[in-house]
């Protein structure tokens, strides 16, 4: 199985901050990397697919980059509604695997 | 826009079989663009993919659960289902169904709200 490792596991940030979350795959996954946002008690929501493509309806302050084994999710200016847990997920080969999550909390 | 809704018992006894159904609306389960998947999340923990099915019946499962999992599809009802046998407390989780978009890229784009299944006697 391809292991996905996110860092940090949690972070504290203020509204307006630029936030960066990284995801590392245990082997090359090309650009088969997706990012999801999950709020408490809710289903995950797709933000970014294929490493850098913004899902329809997702604000442009979210962006993704990377290929191979190293990927980044960036929130350019953190908004109150962005406090949540973020997961990366590889779709290069089954089984589909997720990172352990990064919780973004209010400073 | 697709909508998915899970249904099934919220409490299952240890060693029994858990069964959940996902009803798809707003689109056809027979779409060539989609597999249909199950993902679970133990309380306070991360996400685990269980498996996915195509409308023609082809499936692929997480090897960690493969011996206990069966996913089936009923195109006449626009539904797909999950059976998990010999459950233990470790199977207690919120179970989500999701549309598994599969073309040259792959991602879960629509999700059900999730249903909590507790394994307890």
């Amino acid at each position: 199985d391809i292991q996905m490792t996110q860092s940090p596991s949690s972070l504290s940030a203020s509204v307006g901050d630029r936030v960066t979350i990284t995801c590392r795959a245990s082997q090359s996954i090309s650009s088969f990397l997706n990012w999801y946002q999950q709020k408490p008690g809710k289903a995950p929501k797709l933000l970014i697919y294929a490493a850098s493509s913004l899902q329809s309806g997702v604000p442009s302050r979210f962006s993704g980059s990377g290929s191979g084994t190293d990927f980044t999710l960036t929130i350019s200016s953190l908004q109150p509604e962005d406090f949540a847990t973020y997961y990366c997920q590889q779709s290069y080969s089954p089984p589909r695997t997720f990172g352990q999550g990064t919780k973004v909390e209010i400073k | 826009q697709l909508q998915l809704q899970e249904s099934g018992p919220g409490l299952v006894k240890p060693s029994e079989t858990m069964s959940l159904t996902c009803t798809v609306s707003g689109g056809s389960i027979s779409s060539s663009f989609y597999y249909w998947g199950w993902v679970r999340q133990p309380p306070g923990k991360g996400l685990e993919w269980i498996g996915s099915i195509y409308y023609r019946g082809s499936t692929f499962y997480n090897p960690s659960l493969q011996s206990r999992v069966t996913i089936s599809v009923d195109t006449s009802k626009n539904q797909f289902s999950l059976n998990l046998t010999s459950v233990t407390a470790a199977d207690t989780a919120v179970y989500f169904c999701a549309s598994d978009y599969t073309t040259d890229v792959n991602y879960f784009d629509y999700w059900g709200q999730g249903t909590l299944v507790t394994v307890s006697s």
Side-chain angles (χ1 to χ4, degrees):
Chain A
D1 298 5
I2 298 174
Q3 305 303 314
M4 308 301 294
T5 304
Q6 291 181 230
S7 60
S9 295
S10 64
L11 65 90
S12 296
S14 301
V15 173
D17 284 352
R18 181 181 183 89
V19 169
T20 298
I21 298 168
T22 63
C23 178
R24 175 164 289 175
S26 60
Q27 67 182 74
S28 177
I29 58 170
S30 185
S31 296
F32 291 90
L33 191 283
N34 308 315
W35 289 99
Y36 301 86
Q37 175 195 66
Q38 187 179 33
K39 296 181 179 180
K42 300 295 187 181
K45 172 187 175 183
L46 178 68
L47 300 176
I48 302 285
Y49 63 92
S52 60
S53 295
L54 192 67
Q55 173 68 347
S56 176
V58 173
S60 59
R61 63 180 178 274
F62 291 94
S63 64
S65 64
S67 66
T69 60
D70 294 314
F71 301 87
T72 299
L73 173 69
T74 299
I75 309 172
S76 61
S77 177
L78 197 67
Q79 298 302 300
E81 59 269 30
D82 300 337
F83 292 95
T85 300
Y86 294 83
Y87 293 93
C88 62
Q89 176 246 326
Q90 65 84 17
S91 58
Y92 179 76
S93 69
R96 311 208 198 291
T97 46
F98 293 85
Q100 81 279 15
T102 294
K103 187 173 184 178
V104 177
E105 299 176 300
I106 301 172
K107 181 183 284 184
Chain B
Q1 166 162 323
L2 290 173
Q3 294 182 330
L4 293 87
Q5 177 68 58
E6 306 88 353
S7 59
L11 181 64
V12 182
K13 290 182 168 54
S15 79
E16 294 189 344
T17 296
M18 179 190 87
S19 297
L20 295 176
T21 295
C22 183
T23 301
V24 178
S25 58
S28 172
I29 204 168
S30 301
S31 168
S32 60
F33 296 113
Y34 283 102
Y35 272 69
W36 304 93
W38 290 96
V39 176
R40 71 179 183 179
Q41 185 172 38
K45 297 188 177 181
L47 300 164
E48 179 182 34
W49 173 73
I50 299 169
S52 296
I53 189 166
Y54 194 56
Y55 77 95
R56 292 182 185 269
S58 57
T59 55
F60 60 120
Y61 300 130
N62 192 324
S64 68
L65 297 167
Q66 184 160 5
S67 63
R68 299 193 292 129
V69 170
T70 302
I71 298 175
S72 58
V73 63
D74 186 337
T75 55
S76 67
K77 295 182 179 179
N78 234 33
Q79 294 177 335
F80 62 106
S81 298
L82 168 70
N83 274 11
L84 183 65
T85 63
S86 304
V87 297
T88 70
D91 296 310
T92 294
V94 174
Y95 286 77
F96 297 99
C97 58
S99 54
D100 189 354
Y101 183 82
T102 303
T103 57
D104 55 339
V105 294
N106 164 266
Y107 46 80
F108 299 108
D109 55 352
Y110 296 97
W111 296 67
Q113 64 186 24
T115 187
L116 174 63
V117 177
T118 301
V119 179
S120 175
S121 55

